[in-house]
Amino acid sequence: MPGIEALLQASCATTGTETAKARRNTDRTGKYFCEPIKTHMATPRKLRQKIFLKTFSKNVTFYPSQCHMYSARENTLDTTTERSNTMQLQTSSTPLLTAAKLTELAALGRNRISQIYLHWTAGRYGQLYDDYHFNIDADGSIYQTCTQLTELKSHTWHRNTGAIGIALCCGLGALPHNGTDTEFGSYPPTPQQIDAAGKLVAALAQGLNLPIDRWTVLTHCEAALIDGYGPYSGDAETRWDLWYLRDSPGDGLMKPGGQVIRGKALWYAKSSPLV
């Protein structure tokens, strides 16, 4: 019966052709810190749902896609649509993820990882960033940008401890509008990236013994909605990564991004369970 090898076969067979991405938080000295005390899990579910619904109560002006740290200037948004080269990696020097390596990483991370967060880099194809444990390029190639799954990466505000960050290398210049009519720009998420993300989530969830549900596997947009800085929150530092995606391969319709990737992950997990 096939296992991780089967789940990653298509992605690992190819050879491949935010800056800390936490919301800004400062201490009294004005210094950045990317991992405040993790309090969101202590929030009662009803309150989290209330926050989630409250985010749809008012409109907000969206800025171009920016999945990285804001300008250090007080109350000023760095509106450039081009990501800084800080923390950018080269594909030529970054290893592709292999099934054997993923099995090893999962074995070492079991009982130490509780959540998986899905992002995009807000960059171009072929641009990898060290904010994440894995980067997925346009052709579906999965790059390993961590030495272990427990390595602390700055990908999701308040949610980095015990969490894995996965990013699709895309999204530069995207505009969300109302979600279903997102303009993805010149670097949209590709069907190969979306499919590879589903396979990777399935393999990680099985290797780490995690459920594939909306409380364990979330897009950055979903986490931001729960924590009060997602679409329609009015927050000046709104995050909306993978808010909506085309279900492709699939029916091609625009659907909530988390639903699309979790659905594919569930299908792959059931089709190729671990031995």
Side-chain angles (χ1 to χ4, degrees), residues 18-37 68-78 86-87 152 154 157-158 160 237 239:
E18 133 196 10
T19 319
K21 201 188 76 162
R23 277 179 84 218
R24 189 176 67 184
N25 224 328
T26 57
D27 60 19
R28 291 183 179 180
T29 66
K31 295 180 180 178
Y32 289 108
F33 59 95
C34 298
E35 188 59 19
I37 297 173
H68 53 93
M69 176 122 23
Y70 286 92
S71 168
R73 297 189 299 274
E74 186 66 23
N75 298 322
T76 302
L77 180 68
D78 183 357
T86 305
M87 302 185 80
L152 187 63
S154 299
W157 181 60
H158 276 206
N160 296 314
E237 299 180 359
R239 290 293 189 270

Side-chain angles (χ1 to χ4, degrees), residues 149-228:
L149 298 181
T150 53
E151 184 177 340
L152 187 63
K153 300 280 189 175
S154 299
H155 49 82
T156 313
W157 181 60
H158 276 206
R159 293 171 175 261
N160 296 314
T161 301
I164 295 171
I166 299 171
L168 280 58
C169 302
C170 61
L172 176 63
L175 291 169
H177 300 300
N178 294 307
T180 54
D181 57 351
T182 296
E183 290 183 34
F184 288 113
S186 300
Y187 302 93
T190 66
Q192 295 91 332
Q193 284 178 311
I194 296 169
D195 204 47
K199 292 175 182 177
L200 179 56
V201 168
L204 286 168
Q206 291 185 11
L208 296 167
N209 194 29
L210 296 176
I212 301 173
D213 58 37
R214 67 183 303 272
W215 298 108
T216 305
V217 181
L218 300 85
T219 64
H220 194 181
C221 182
E222 290 173 324
L225 283 167
I226 294 170
D227 292 344

Side-chain angles (χ1 to χ4, degrees), residues 60-248:
V60 61
T61 300
F62 287 96
Y63 293 91
S65 171
Q66 308 246 356
C67 206
H68 53 93
M69 176 122 23
Y70 286 92
S71 168
R73 297 189 299 274
E74 186 66 23
N75 298 322
T76 302
L77 180 68
D78 183 357
T79 57
T80 176
T81 57
E82 185 67 68
R83 283 198 64 164
S84 165
N85 288 330
T86 305
M87 302 185 80
Q88 184 173 333
L89 305 171
Q90 299 298 318
T91 56
S92 59
S93 59
T94 305
L96 284 165
L97 180 65
T98 65
K101 187 61 178 179
L102 181 56
T103 301
E104 176 188 335
L105 290 171
L108 294 173
R110 194 170 294 127
N111 300 320
R112 302 176 68 188
I113 299 296
S114 59
Q115 290 181 301
I116 298 172
Y117 293 101
L118 303 163
H119 302 254
W120 59 16
T121 61
R124 292 179 165 86
Y125 301 145
Q127 291 181 329
L128 313 180
Y129 289 88
D130 195 35
D131 309 73
Y132 317 99
H133 295 81
F134 302 102
N135 284 246
I136 304 177
D137 208 356
D139 62 358
S141 299
I142 302 173
Y143 289 89
Q144 177 190 335
T145 46
C146 65
T147 56
Q148 55 185 349
L149 298 181
T150 53
E151 184 177 340
L152 187 63
K153 300 280 189 175
S154 299
H155 49 82
T156 313
W157 181 60
H158 276 206
R159 293 171 175 261
N160 296 314
T161 301
I164 295 171
I166 299 171
L168 280 58
C169 302
C170 61
L172 176 63
L175 291 169
H177 300 300
N178 294 307
T180 54
D181 57 351
T182 296
E183 290 183 34
F184 288 113
S186 300
Y187 302 93
T190 66
Q192 295 91 332
Q193 284 178 311
I194 296 169
D195 204 47
K199 292 175 182 177
L200 179 56
V201 168
L204 286 168
Q206 291 185 11
L208 296 167
N209 194 29
L210 296 176
I212 301 173
D213 58 37
R214 67 183 303 272
W215 298 108
T216 305
V217 181
L218 300 85
T219 64
H220 194 181
C221 182
E222 290 173 324
L225 283 167
I226 294 170
D227 292 344
Y229 65 105
Y232 304 120
S233 65
D235 194 301
E237 299 180 359
T238 297
R239 290 293 189 270
W240 58 278
D241 304 34
L242 310 180
W243 187 9
Y244 279 83
L245 290 172
R246 292 203 178 279
D247 189 4
S248 179

